[in-house]
Amino acid sequence: MAHRGFAHVGRQLPGVGARVACQMQSLDELRHAQTQIHSMSNYNKLYDGFHSWRHMHDRVWYLSVPKSFFDDAITAGPFEYMIAIGFSFEYVLTLSLIHISEPTRPS
């Protein structure tokens, strides 16, 4: 759903550069969704329960905080949406996960 948000924001912005940036971010969000769906399809070969992921998504309690944050970002204005999703989810979470998962190598 983040890709739809960036597509909507891109349509509201007047500058060409900002529109193209929103389009590229929208494509990046689609890529993230496709990667997650592909990984779920591999798990689905071995485990049951992925046939009703929308049903289960509403019942996963530990996703309540990011879902609430995303709902607030969607209802905000276009600038607030770009900052909330682009900075908080993409930059902070991605960089923190990269730094946690990849230890530094000695030179």
Side-chain angles (χ1 to χ4, degrees):
M1 189 136 150
H3 69 281
R4 290 176 55 197
F6 279 104
H8 288 293
V9 168
R11 289 187 196 108
Q12 295 175 8
L13 295 174
V16 175
R19 288 180 147 197
V20 171
C22 283
Q23 180 186 16
M24 295 300 127
Q25 187 65 34
S26 179
L27 291 173
D28 185 52
E29 296 299 331
L30 277 174
R31 182 183 59 82
H32 289 303
Q34 289 173 344
T35 303
Q36 292 170 359
I37 290 169
H38 178 67
S39 65
M40 282 193 305
S41 71
N42 288 330
Y43 282 112
N44 202 24
K45 294 175 186 174
L46 304 172
Y47 302 106
D48 258 349
F50 287 112
H51 62 281
S52 59
W53 70 272
R54 272 208 187 274
H55 176 76
M56 293 306 294
H57 183 264
D58 293 339
R59 288 160 176 75
V60 179
W61 62 269
Y62 52 85
L63 289 180
S64 62
V65 173
K67 284 192 286 190
S68 173
F69 181 79
F70 190 77
D71 289 341
D72 290 343
I74 287 175
T75 58
F79 180 75
E80 289 84 3
Y81 177 83
M82 287 188 345
I83 296 302
I85 302 303
F87 180 73
S88 300
F89 278 150
E90 286 287 326
Y91 183 75
V92 173
L93 290 177
T94 304
L95 280 181
S96 63
L97 290 176
I98 287 173
H99 291 298
I100 290 171
S101 64
E102 291 183 4
T104 56
R105 296 182 187 140
S107 319

